[in-house]
Amino acid sequence: MQRLIARVSIAWLLLANVIGLWLASLLLWPRLGDGVAPFTYGRWMPLHMDWQLYGWCSLPLLGILAVWYWNHNDKALERARLAFALWSAALLVGGIYWLLGEAVGKPFLNWAGASRWFFAGTLVAIWLLLCRGWWEGSKRTFRSKGERLGIWIRGIVAAALGVVPFVLYFVSDTRVYPPVDPDSGGATGHSLLASTLGIVALMGGLPRFGLGLGIAAESEKSAILRERVYWMFYGVSIVVYLLIQHGDASNRHFDQIAGLGSLLVWPLLLLWYWRVFQWSPSSRWWRVAFFFWWAMLALDGWVSFLPGVLEFVKFTNAMVAHAHLAMAGMVTGLNMIILLELGSDDVSRASLSRPLWCVVWNFALLAFVVVLTLQGVREGQQPGRLFYFDEATEIIYGVRWASGALMVLCSLVWLGGLVKRRDVR
């Protein structure tokens, strides 16, 4: 099961990265696009963004649900294969629509026409499979109150997941819009805070409930304390979210700035909380990367939101750098941790835990973020640089292309290891 989840997840990472490298190539050598007309830069872009989000960023989380509801056995493996095949088919159908120019135009919500129905139907089908797994699990004999409580928690989570297909279908409608910052035209502080707190909750529950990690005997008292502190701060954050202005709100308002700034505490607090769990040594390098990129993301996001800064970097490559801090940095670190801790498969751990390729990936990303942030500052000073090439822009885009090529190479090495390696036991 763990190897299947890792293979499909990394395969979609590779596909999305190849599209990203193609887009970087078009920026350097635009005439390449003549050979694939009418599939323009704008038509390829949703494939890169949405395949990263719904492919690489989502499938490890689907893997957690697969293990949670179906466990590790032959029947579970069949269900997992079906679920991952349906999900992958939905992404391919979406890709065809986006290449044909059938897209909503909303970042990460480009499901249009039949692809919108297909994706929502896929989510419903997988949800039914999860519910069936829960129903079968609820009929077994429980050895303790903890096991009985666990099955009830799984039932509540399954019920909550049932609304996801309908919500995604609804928000993909072109007539539905999120709150807008009237001064920048971007996201509001409270909407960014709400979406991030959802991820913070997932991270808090990941080691104990998602991955089933144990706690060292000498750390049990400390674990109780840290868990209480973590969720107490989470409760405080929810109160902060409820108190600040909702709806269309400007980034010039103090409550929006303070609310978003409250996120700066979470990387350190989660690091403190996670230290009591018994992690595998194989995920050590990726845990370091995850916390580094999350801290950088929180700081960069808050600084970029400040009045004067947001207007300066909006619609520049600095925002592209910020998006890659999130996707290629924090989320990739988190997903690698999940893929390595989801079981004890030797092939998955041997393929994904090699320090060399972890360092190469993160070094390439660091170069990518630095040069695109620099380019964003240049474009903020002189917007014409966004549209007219100069020598410095060409060098920066060259570094961007080389960084993307290294990321493609890393994902190719990881997938190759997962496909070629046999059991080492």
Side-chain angles (χ1 to χ4, degrees), residues 223-277:
I224 294 172
L225 170 66
R226 295 183 189 206
E227 191 171 48
R228 288 177 178 173
V229 170
Y230 185 87
W231 293 111
M232 182 189 71
F233 268 90
Y234 191 78
V236 171
S237 293
I238 293 295
V239 172
V240 170
Y241 168 72
L242 293 174
L243 290 178
I244 64 177
Q245 181 185 349
H246 288 58
D248 297 344
S250 171
N251 67 319
R252 298 178 185 278
H253 294 170
F254 176 77
D255 65 333
Q256 301 296 303
I257 297 171
L260 199 59
S262 68
L263 294 174
L264 293 172
V265 71
W266 285 109
L268 290 176
L269 194 54
L270 187 73
L271 173 62
W272 180 68
Y273 176 44
W274 273 18
R275 288 176 67 86
V276 297
F277 290 97

Side-chain angles (χ1 to χ4, degrees), residues 370-399:
V370 168
V371 296
L372 284 195
T373 301
L374 175 62
Q375 178 69 359
V377 173
R378 296 178 72 242
E379 291 162 355
Q381 293 172 330
Q382 188 175 338
R385 286 176 172 143
L386 184 62
F387 305 102
Y388 300 105
F389 248 51
D390 57 17
E391 187 175 349
T393 299
E394 188 170 7
I395 293 172
I396 286 171
Y397 278 12
V399 174

Side-chain angles (χ1 to χ4, degrees), residues 325-376:
L325 270 175
M327 294 288 197
M330 186 197 76
V331 174
T332 292
L334 182 65
N335 280 357
M336 284 298 194
I337 294 169
I338 292 172
L339 295 179
L340 287 166
E341 299 284 353
L342 203 53
S344 55
D345 177 55
D346 290 332
V347 172
S348 299
R349 290 188 168 178
S351 302
L352 302 178
S353 66
R354 283 176 284 179
L356 170 63
W357 296 105
C358 175
V359 171
V360 171
W361 174 277
N362 288 287
F363 174 78
L365 176 60
L366 183 62
F368 186 103
V369 169
V370 168
V371 296
L372 284 195
T373 301
L374 175 62
Q375 178 69 359

Side-chain angles (χ1 to χ4, degrees), residues 4 8 34 58 94 102 125 158 174 256 309 313 355 359 363 370 389 416:
L4 169 69
V8 180
D34 295 346
S58 301
E102 294 286 336
T174 55
Q256 301 296 303
V309 181
V313 299
V359 171
F363 174 78
V370 168
F389 248 51

Side-chain angles (χ1 to χ4, degrees), residues 48-346:
H48 176 57
M49 295 175 63
D50 292 315
W51 280 2
Q52 289 286 10
L53 181 66
Y54 292 101
W56 168 235
C57 296
S58 301
L59 288 174
L61 298 178
L62 177 60
I64 289 178
L65 293 175
V67 172
W68 219 38
Y69 285 96
W70 304 329
N71 298 314
H72 291 279
N73 54 52
D74 292 341
K75 185 188 288 186
L77 191 58
E78 292 177 9
R79 288 174 177 170
R81 284 175 177 152
L82 176 59
F84 280 96
L86 285 172
W87 194 287
S88 297
L91 294 183
L92 290 174
V93 170
I96 293 171
Y97 266 75
W98 301 326
L99 278 179
L100 294 176
E102 294 286 336
V104 176
K106 295 180 179 179
F108 304 118
L109 287 171
N110 265 312
W111 303 102
S115 71
R116 186 179 171 202
W117 284 100
F118 195 99
F119 185 60
T122 295
L123 295 180
V124 171
I126 294 174
W127 178 73
L128 290 173
L129 285 172
L130 295 176
C131 289
R132 184 174 178 180
W134 175 83
W135 177 251
E136 292 172 354
S138 69
K139 291 191 293 185
R140 65 184 173 85
T141 302
F142 298 104
R143 292 172 296 182
S144 65
K145 291 183 179 179
E147 288 187 355
R148 186 176 295 280
L149 177 62
I151 200 69
W152 277 108
I153 292 175
R154 284 172 170 79
I156 293 170
V157 173
L161 290 174
V163 304
V164 173
F166 303 100
V167 170
L168 278 176
Y169 182 86
F170 173 72
V171 297
S172 297
D173 194 312
T174 55
R175 295 165 295 182
V176 178
Y177 291 93
V180 175
D181 182 334
D183 286 321
S184 71
T188 60
H190 73 84
S191 62
L192 293 170
L193 178 59
S195 59
T196 306
L197 286 179
I199 297 172
V200 168
L202 290 175
M203 292 176 183
L206 179 66
R208 181 190 289 274
F209 302 107
L211 301 173
L213 299 182
I215 296 171
E218 65 274 15
S219 303
E220 287 187 359
K221 290 185 179 178
S222 177
I224 294 172
L225 170 66
R226 295 183 189 206
E227 191 171 48
R228 288 177 178 173
V229 170
Y230 185 87
W231 293 111
M232 182 189 71
F233 268 90
Y234 191 78
V236 171
S237 293
I238 293 295
V239 172
V240 170
Y241 168 72
L242 293 174
L243 290 178
I244 64 177
Q245 181 185 349
H246 288 58
D248 297 344
S250 171
N251 67 319
R252 298 178 185 278
H253 294 170
F254 176 77
D255 65 333
Q256 301 296 303
I257 297 171
L260 199 59
S262 68
L263 294 174
L264 293 172
V265 71
W266 285 109
L268 290 176
L269 194 54
L270 187 73
L271 173 62
W272 180 68
Y273 176 44
W274 273 18
R275 288 176 67 86
V276 297
F277 290 97
Q278 293 177 315
W279 299 92
S280 163
S282 63
S283 67
R284 179 173 57 243
W285 284 94
W286 283 111
R287 276 180 275 138
V288 172
F290 163 67
F291 281 107
F292 172 77
W293 289 119
W294 190 16
M296 292 298 102
L297 177 68
L299 182 61
D300 183 72
W302 185 68
V303 171
S304 299
F305 187 74
L306 296 175
V309 181
L310 183 57
E311 295 81 352
F312 186 77
V313 299
K314 188 75 179 173
F315 304 120
T316 71
N317 272 300
M319 288 293 123
V320 180
H322 180 75
H324 283 77
L325 270 175
M327 294 288 197
M330 186 197 76
V331 174
T332 292
L334 182 65
N335 280 357
M336 284 298 194
I337 294 169
I338 292 172
L339 295 179
L340 287 166
E341 299 284 353
L342 203 53
S344 55
D345 177 55
D346 290 332

